[in-house]
Amino acid sequence: MDAAQALLEHARASHPHDAHVLTCLGAVLCDRALYREAEAVLRAALAQGSLDRHTTFNLAVAVFNTGTRRQALALFGAAAKMPPSALTWAAYFDPHGT
């Protein structure tokens, strides 16, 4: 995960407005349990116009883990209605994990 995060941080430095890069970075940050940082990155992807299911799903994971469950459930519902991009990643989500 360290290598993936480093690669994506480098890509973000070169392309700070690329929603695909931001979505993938957000997924890695979620997988590393860096939920507040992931939320900020994923909100930036949405601000860049991302309509990718992975962006919204990953944001739901981040929000779920920062304590705003009602908002997270709404985001999960919205993500379910969106198409995923083949260029981005979904965060692994285990509600029973720590």
Side-chain angles (χ1 to χ4, degrees), residues 3-52:
Q5 184 176 347
L7 179 69
L8 290 163
E9 291 286 4
H10 184 266
R12 180 171 72 164
S14 300
H15 307 320
H17 305 294
D18 186 316
H20 294 115
V21 170
L22 294 168
T23 297
C24 291
L25 178 57
V28 169
L29 293 169
C30 281
D31 288 347
R32 300 191 79 194
L34 300 170
Y35 301 115
R36 294 201 188 284
E37 189 175 343
E39 182 178 353
V41 168
L42 293 162
R43 289 194 187 279
L46 291 175
Q48 293 305 315
S50 177
L51 299 174
D52 179 0

Side-chain angles (χ1 to χ4, degrees), residues 19-98:
H20 294 115
V21 170
L22 294 168
T23 297
C24 291
L25 178 57
V28 169
L29 293 169
C30 281
D31 288 347
R32 300 191 79 194
L34 300 170
Y35 301 115
R36 294 201 188 284
E37 189 175 343
E39 182 178 353
V41 168
L42 293 162
R43 289 194 187 279
L46 291 175
Q48 293 305 315
S50 177
L51 299 174
D52 179 0
R53 174 170 128 179
H54 294 148
T55 307
T56 303
F57 177 82
N58 293 334
L59 179 59
V61 170
V63 169
F64 183 88
N65 284 283
T66 58
T68 314
R69 305 286 163 95
R70 187 173 306 185
Q71 183 183 10
L73 292 175
L75 288 164
F76 281 126
K81 298 173 187 169
M82 302 169 78
S85 170
L87 301 176
T88 60
W89 309 329
Y92 172 74
F93 180 63
D94 180 2
H96 303 291
T98 56

